[in-house]
Structure formats: C-alpha cells, structure tokens
Amino acid sequence: MPEQTLSAPPTSAPSAPDAPPLVPPEVLEAERAVPAAADSKANSGLGWEPAPKPGTAARGGFDARYIAPIFITLILLVGQFSFGVLESLPQTLLAIAASMVTEIVLSRLMTGKWPHLASAYVSGISVGILIRSPYFWPYALCSMIAIASKYVIRVKGRHIWNPSNFAIVMMLWIAWDQVATLSQQWDNRFWAMAIIWTVGSLIIWRLKRFHICATYVVSFLAFGLVRSLIEHQYYVTEISPITGPMYQLFIFFMITDPKTTVRPKWGQCAVAFTIAAVEAVLRLNSNIHLSVHAPYYALFIVGPIANLIEIWYTSRRNRPSSDSPVPVVATA
Amino acid sequence: MRSRIPQLIATLFLIALLAAPQLFKRLGSHPDAAAVGNTASGPDLNRYGFRLQEVAHAAGIDFTHQAPKLDPKLDHIMPEIASMGAAVSVVDFDRDGWPDLYVTNSGEGSLNHLYRNQHDGTFRDVAAQMGVADVNKDGTGVSMGAVWGDYDNDGYEDLFIYKWGRPELFHNDKGKRFSRVTDTAGLPQWVNSNSAIWLDYDRDGKLDLFLTGYYPETVDLWHLKDTHMMPDSFEYAQNGGRKYLLRNMGNGKFKDVTAEMGIDSHRWALATTAADLRGTGYPDIFIANDYGVSEIWANQNGKGFKEIGKQALYWNKARNIGPKSGMNANCGDVLNRGQFAVYVSNITENGLLMQGNNLWVPQAGTSGDNLKYDNLAGPTGVENGGWSFGAQFGDLNNDGNLDLYLTNGYVSAAKKESYWYAFTTITGGNSAIISDAKNWPPMQGRSLSGYEHKHVWLNDGTGSFSDVAQAVGVTDTYDGRAVALADFWNRGALDVAVATQRGPFLLYKNEVTPQNQWTEFTLEGAKSNRSAIGAQVRLFWNGQQQLQEVSGGNGFCAQNERRLHFGLGKHPKIEKAVIRWPSGQVQTLQDIKIGQENHIKEAV
C-alpha cells in the first residue's frame, strides 16, 4: 500500500529528539505493520491525540497520547462534581464503555491487533459530555458510530471525518427527536470560564495547536460581527455562544484533532477559518436544527472536504514519475 | 477477497448502527392512541375508563386571558416575559357544597373572574358583585395567581392574590361579599410573585402565608431603571426575588418571619407546594425554581426551616439530575404506598433542549432528615412533556391510581417561525450577557415551543404511565399554564380546569365508567385551621393504601378543590381511613361511605 506510506505525514506531536520513545516498540511495530489501524488508533474524535513515534515523544517518560484524556477527564470531573454538568454519570460511562468495546472488536476484526484505548476513551467521554438525551441508548449508539466510522469511512487509508463529530451529526439526523447537544452553561460565573480557557489554551499551546483555536475564535468573533449587522442584533448576543462550555470543548478538542484536519499549519488555519465561515452561514439559515447545531454541521461539512483536498494533493504530488523509482518512506 | 471480508463486516455494522433508531422506532411503535381510542361518537369511554369533553362555553364560562404590557424596554421579548398570569383556583366560597372557580387575568385594568357554581352544570361570574374583580389597576401590578384559605377560622375561605405587583388579601364575609384587607394585613408592598400557598407551618391552628418572588422585588416591570433584570444564568441563577413567610398573628395581621425562620433563597421560584414530606407532622415547603435546582425547606418543628434539597434530591452525584427550569410542584402518592412523590415540570424540545420533567419518588424507608428521592420520571414515562407548565395528580378514571394531567406550551405565535435558535444563543451565554434583557434576541412574532399537545398520563398501578390525552379528548394546543382538579358537578368524577395564557379558559368535564367506585372527604378543622390545610387522609382498601393531603396551593399558579377524591376501582372493600389533622390529632374511621362525600369534622 505505497500511497499510505507516502502520505503518512510527520506527526505534530511535541518533539523531543533525544528522549526515549514513550510508546512501546511493539505498539509502533503494530502501527507500521497496519497503517490504517495506526491512523485510527491515533484518532480520538473530540479529543485529539498525537501519535508519538520514535524520537518524537514528550520528555519525562510520559505518553503524549494521555494528555487529552487526562485533560478532558479533569474537566469532566470538576464540572460534574461542582456543577453536575452531565446528564448522568452512568450514561457517560456507558458511552465510554461502548466506545472502548467497539474499538477492541473492530481493531481485532480489521487488524488482528489489540488497540491502544486512549483514543476510544476520549471519544466515549466526549460523546458523554456533548450528547444530551434522557435515554441511555443514544450514548452507546453514538460512541459505536464514532468508532465504526473510523474504520469504515476511509480514503487512501485516512479517515476523513472527526469521529465524534460524525457520530453526533448522525445522531442529530437519525435520532433527532431523542437527542440534543450540550447547549447550556456550566455555572456561568466568569472565573469558571476563565479557568477552562486558560488551562485549555496552555495545553493546546504546549501541543502546538493553539494557532487553530486562535484562528477559529478570531474568525467566529469576526463572523459574529457580520451576523449582527445582517440580523440587526446586538454583537454580544451573536458571540454569546462562544462563552459556553460546548464551544470550549469544540474549540480545544474537536477542531484541533490532528488526524481530521490537514497537515500544514497554514492549512489548519484555513480550515478553522472555513469552519467558522460555514458555521456563520448555517447560523443565518432558517432551519432551526441546522442553526442550533451549526458548529457540528460546519465541521462535518468542512472537515472531509479539506482532508480530501489534501489527500488528492499529496497523492498527486507524490505520484511516481515513469523515470523515478517509488520512494520508500517510513510511516508514522 | 478474503481481506475485504472484515471491511465488509465493519461497513455492514456501521450501516446497522445508523439504521437502528428507525428500526427500533418501527418495531416499538404502537397504533396511534387517538385512532384506537376514538369512536365515531367521540372518545371511547370503556377503553381507559373515562373521557374528557371541553365544556367551558356550555357551562357559561367565556373567558380569554389577557397578558400585561410591560416596560417598552422589553418590547422585543414581550411575549416571552409577559408569559404568565393565567391561573385558576377552586373554592367553595359560599359553602353551598359546590366548587366554584377563581380565574385571574393579567392585562392592566383587566378583571379577574369568580365563577359561582349554579348547581345546574353552569357557572356565573360574580367577581364584581363580590368585590374581587378589579384587582389589576394601573400602578398596582397584575394578577399571577390566587389561593384560598380561611385565615380567621370563620368557616369561609378568604382570598389571597399574588401578583407582579402589590399582593392583595380579601376577607370572605360569609360568602356574601369580600372585604379588601390588604392595607391592614401587613403584607409586603410589592412582590413579583408566581406562587403562594397557605400553610400552618407552626401548627398553631392559624393559616400562614408563604409567598415567593420571581423577579426581584426591587424591579417594577412597568418602569425599569435598566434592563439588567434577567436571570444571571440559565441553570444556576440566584438573583431572583426573595421569599416571604408571613406568620398569621391571629388579629388579621401577618408578620414577616422569613429571616427568623432561616429562609434566604433568592432563586427564581415558579411553583411551591407544602406537605409533610418527611413524616414529622409539620409541613415542609417544596419550591420548583426556574433557572436552577429545586429546594426543599424542611420544617424544624415549626421553629425554623432548613434547606435539604441538596441531600434529598441531588444526593447522588453519579446519577445527578442537574438544575433545570422548574415550573410546577405538586404531590401525589403515585405508587399507593403512603408517601408523596413530587412532580416538577421542565422544558423539553426534541432535538434542542431535553431537560425532561422530574418525578421525585422517595426511596422506600427514607424519611425525616434521611429523606432521599430518586427521579423516576423516565422509567415511569412522565418525563417528556414539552415546554411543561402546570400539572396535577388525580384519579381521573377512579381505578384507584393517581393519574397525571399536564399542560404545556410557551409562546404560540407564528406557526412556522421558531424562536428556538435565537433562544439558544442567549441561554448559553455568560452571566454578563444573559442577565441583560437588551441582549435577548427579539422574538419578532416567532413561536417558542408553541401549539404543543397536552399530556394525560394514565397510571396503570405498576409505576408505569401512558399518555392517553388524544384518546380521551384532550386535544387543545393552547399555551397552558395552570391546572386544577375538582368534582365540579358532584358526581364522583374529577373534572379539569385549565387556564391558558392569552387563550380561553378550558373546562374539561369528566365522564367516568360507572364500574369504578369512589369516595370523597371534606375535612373541617376545629383545633386545626378550619380549612384543614395540611390534614392527611390515609385510605386503606383492598389491601392497599393511598395518602392525600389538603393543600393550600399546588401545581403552577393553581389550587385544587379542598375536598379529597379517592378512586377505588371495582368492588372495593374499605378497611379504614386514618386522618391526621394538622393539630397532630389522629382519627381513624371505619364506616366510610362509598359513592358519596364524607364530611368529617375534627374533634375538639
């Protein structure tokens, strides 16, 4: 499968050239052996997780793949035990369990390997936070769809949708009367918001993805101004949603997922800007369902298009000419 | 080829997942209740054992509620702000043995109505004649609801009207006329209130008042200083109005003992009810708050109150039921085990905001300071009620189990234009944004959860409710607010009165299958307050029991008939009725009349 090898990008994980590898060699070996599985494993959906490779792991013997799970778990625990932010803990645990079990089953089926479950954990936890339903089954179903989509919907070895985003949008379609998304504040006091923004920004900065968040926020604020002029509405009303926790999760975890956005830095900024633009259009739409869930739909539309363009471009650029041999490049 | 098999399996798996909801829906769908329940001549009486017919006009009630016009600074969201005030309370004000109706209006200068039961199936408005009509004068605020209680124990029910404005108290002059006693009663000057109840919190035999604020009492909604008068959070707001516990001093005056009794809530209360929830003999106060959690103020033997909602309702962080938009509070022994469940209505708009209503059922064996509730609205089937408002428990088909009537619908305006998107932009915002009405997007004639179908949940006795509203004839889609139940025609059937916002008053006459038996209790206190508010009747029959309590106000802006109605099912064998009076006296009755009213007076 040379195209997978050729298209494998350099990871954007925090690099520490002299540090020892943090992922067991056998895991990396498995990733090399089955590139598709490696790709799916590295992707978490809402929580992104850079896949370390030898020589690019974080210092201190800490697996960078655990950063996102730990961060999102902390948010969840603080939010739940301070403000009771979840629909219920059992529903979220069900989402996590369904996500992990699906990951194991599909990984065994597709690759014959045992997967690293950090990614599935974050997918499950993100579903548990972002989905709102009085029932239990949507949590399990949404998680299963997220994980299954990673294995099924692939182009040249890459999945093109952010799994959690794909699953949430699917749920909004197929179970529109049973499911909503997180839409309210956690608390509402300024300090709660400030803490999440500050900690989130620091971690995202550390993971070298802050430019994506910054681009999106600036774009959202700018398009908010445009919408307020079109709608003759107060500007603060238009930008009000970004002060809520749903956006904090969306910005820090979903749009920064390295496996479901493009590789170049400028491209990532362009994608973030386009998501904000499409979202602005959807917010002006008269369809209530589309406008209320605009950020999810925007990422759902823009994400795969950007990925497909990159896949096409990369594949075209790396197409071997008739007088040159096929290059052999180590996979990530 | 072989390598493609896993891929094929995974693909089929994903397709199956995506198809699952529709598949389950088809497999689990039942025939439309309206279709199976109705015959050519209307709802089938035999299917559910009762049917309801809206008869307000035929009964002589032609009333349409008017909403207030508040400060022009709120014009852009006026339908949303001026969205309450339609209320109904049931009383036998002239002691003729037939329930009458008091219906509030909320337009400036509009008149409230007191409908006297004519005993022939019709009602006549006597509010003006009785002196309780013209209470919405300019500058005094407008009515939000009314509750009846005999505060001076003279045998006639007196009238307390709570408003966004100056509360009013009227003394009932032997059913002939009402005297306004507001100015001498010691009531607060201005409260933006949406609920009040009569209760005897200290069991001194005199009815006290509990009055709750919604908007802060410093806000005059007709003359706003600025627009910073909205809740500072959609779910954690604590900048609402204060509460008033007004102790009846026995000389026609009430004393504000709120702080002294330890009640300091500033949440946005929309509904209140009082009942002995903990089995102490003293009434506890349950408050359903908009924009936040509900509260239970536990009565400390009449010497104070302590808030226990956190440990009694929200005790399990793992199965946390978060803050919602409480709009109703009423009690009912839904499982026939001698303990009250509390029903709190909230907001559900499918796909957009799914709070779900709460049915707080006490855990078996918990009481007193260890009282703990579980929210069983989901398992019992009474969770999704749309944008829910008033609800009442009552045995509508006399089968021995308490059913649940819920009305709903917030703002019905343009049918195809929804305000929901605009609403979600502001409700998710930070406190600095949401608390300023100026930032709330203009409604521009759009609907917000309008034209909703109502719910009549039938209790099958096993803890499971099914919605039969359409099948039994409840087909209105007005913006319902208050619901009150009473046997208006003295036939042993609970009829339903519904006050709708900016809509007509509805009176659903109930026809119940004669196979199911019933009994009723009218209680009169002697040592206790004469209205017997707080008295409990525990009826034992056919090896089961049901607990009911005389209430001084419950639901949303409503008060049921004081007479307690028990459905008994077929072939009932009543063992006994145990009455616990507010004074603490316990009376056991063996000789209970079936198919009749039992008038019981407390022994002195």
Side-chain angles (χ1 to χ4, degrees), chain B residues 486-534:
Chain B
D487 182 2
F488 287 110
W489 283 272
N490 285 345
R491 303 161 300 137
L494 282 179
D495 308 297
V496 185
V498 183
T500 70
Q501 188 74 7
R502 299 185 190 86
F505 182 81
L506 306 174
L507 185 57
Y508 282 101
K509 188 174 183 180
N510 190 2
E511 185 183 353
V512 183
T513 177
Q515 294 169 331
N516 287 345
Q517 304 291 304
W518 56 276
T519 189
E520 290 174 347
F521 293 87
T522 300
L523 306 183
E524 187 176 335
K527 219 169 147 187
S528 308
N529 71 84
R530 198 152 171 187
S531 296
I533 287 172

Side-chain angles (χ1 to χ4, degrees), chain B residues 155-197:
Chain B
Y156 288 86
E157 303 290 309
D158 308 301
L159 171 64
F160 178 74
I161 302 171
Y162 48 97
K163 302 161 72 175
W164 286 355
R166 185 182 66 199
E168 300 279 6
L169 182 63
F170 289 90
H171 179 262
N172 186 339
D173 303 335
K174 300 192 184 310
K176 309 279 187 225
R177 174 128 190 119
F178 288 82
S179 304
R180 182 175 175 274
V181 294
T182 304
D183 298 333
T184 56
L187 303 176
Q189 287 299 305
W190 190 278
V191 186
N192 296 304
S193 175
N194 280 94
S195 70
I197 50 171

